[in-house]
Amino acid sequence: MSRHLHGPLMWRRIGSGIALLAAMASAGAAAAATVAVPALPLWEIGVFGGAAATPAYPGADDRAGRALLLPIVIYRGKIIRADRSGVNARLINSDRMELDLGFALSLPSRSDDVDARAGMPDLHSLLEFGPRLKVLLAQPSPTSRVRLELPLRMPLELGNGFRRQGLVFEPRVVYETGDGTGKWHADANLGAVFGNARLNSYFYDVAPRYATPTRPVYEASGGLMMTRLGMSLSRRITPDWRVFGFARYDNHSHAANRDSPLFRKTSGVSVGAGFTWTLHRSAARAWE
């Protein structure tokens, strides 16, 4: 029997799909390659497919996994851009500095699947957006570069009235390299993630009504959530097919809320892989 999606359930399903796409976007970032690839189309439409497995939340000892197939639209405008590296609006764009509005999402987690959160509300997908400053630090070769990224994002909780859930700051250093033609692209990044008290409360608070003998009341504070090391690889198989994969290691040893009863593990690994298939592309060329 068919089932229609309404209200919170609908948003959870939509959020799960979008979040997985965003979680793997950087791994498929060939459209944002290290050097400008000539003659890129202004827009493309196609299909995205992939799967990812991540910790249920930062510091969790349970995991969440998602797989999906979605249509994908790529647009390379002068200011507004939507490509495999994400969706953003470029406000400043020079040889050494770029300021844009970046987006990110996190995978949802059902409390029934997480022992530490049994009986507590589910964690929905968080849609994060805000300004991102990118500064070129070095260009070791014509097809590689090192840059500093300074994103400040505001998370909105999908499936719960788009409730604001604080602020997140994620400074990181990124090394990118490729072959200069867009056939393959790789990157590695090292950074840290900081959340204010409201964001950390979303993951680590235990209200009195959810307290148990093994899960005491806890009120989270703002501060470091994790340090992060990630890498990704993307390769074009044909003009229409591209495959990619990513791996990410998060360390929570010095997290501000490691005393929370919901904090169970000092490290976590996320992995994912997928493909994009371009069905049609424009004759018009992209802005650079």
Side-chain angles (χ1 to χ4, degrees), residues 124-135:
H124 299 111
S125 294
L126 295 179
L127 167 63
E128 302 176 5
F129 68 95
R132 175 178 55 183
L133 179 65
K134 296 188 283 189
V135 181

Side-chain angles (χ1 to χ4, degrees), residues 158-173:
L158 297 181
N160 196 17
F162 289 97
R163 182 183 300 173
R164 179 184 167 189
Q165 294 294 351
L167 290 170
V168 58
F169 178 53
E170 188 179 352
R172 64 179 192 163
V173 176

Side-chain angles (χ1 to χ4, degrees), residues 102-243:
F103 294 81
L105 286 104
S106 62
L107 291 173
S109 177
R110 295 180 66 246
S111 293
D112 289 347
D113 299 329
V114 181
D115 291 342
R117 295 186 59 86
M120 297 183 68
D122 293 340
L123 296 175
H124 299 111
S125 294
L126 295 179
L127 167 63
E128 302 176 5
F129 68 95
R132 175 178 55 183
L133 179 65
K134 296 188 283 189
V135 181
L136 180 64
L137 300 179
Q139 193 160 359
S141 74
T143 59
S144 65
R145 66 182 176 184
V146 180
R147 71 172 187 267
L148 173 67
E149 293 189 357
L150 301 171
L152 178 65
R153 300 188 298 266
M154 180 180 70
L156 296 177
E157 184 183 359
L158 297 181
N160 196 17
F162 289 97
R163 182 183 300 173
R164 179 184 167 189
Q165 294 294 351
L167 290 170
V168 58
F169 178 53
E170 188 179 352
R172 64 179 192 163
V173 176
V174 181
Y175 171 76
E176 290 183 327
T177 187
D179 67 344
T181 69
K183 185 173 183 179
W184 67 270
H185 173 267
D187 70 63
N189 59 84
L190 176 65
V193 182
F194 300 86
N196 68 353
R198 183 163 183 172
L199 179 61
N200 280 326
S201 295
Y202 182 70
F203 293 113
Y204 302 117
D205 263 11
V206 178
R209 64 182 179 277
Y210 300 120
T212 69
T214 58
R215 189 172 63 200
V217 172
Y218 184 82
E219 184 175 350
S221 61
L224 179 68
M225 298 180 71
M226 69 194 80
T227 53
R228 173 170 285 173
L229 174 65
M231 59 187 65
S232 69
L233 177 65
S234 170
R235 192 179 193 281
R236 187 179 66 221
I237 305 300
T238 73
D240 296 329
W241 286 89
R242 179 173 292 275
V243 295

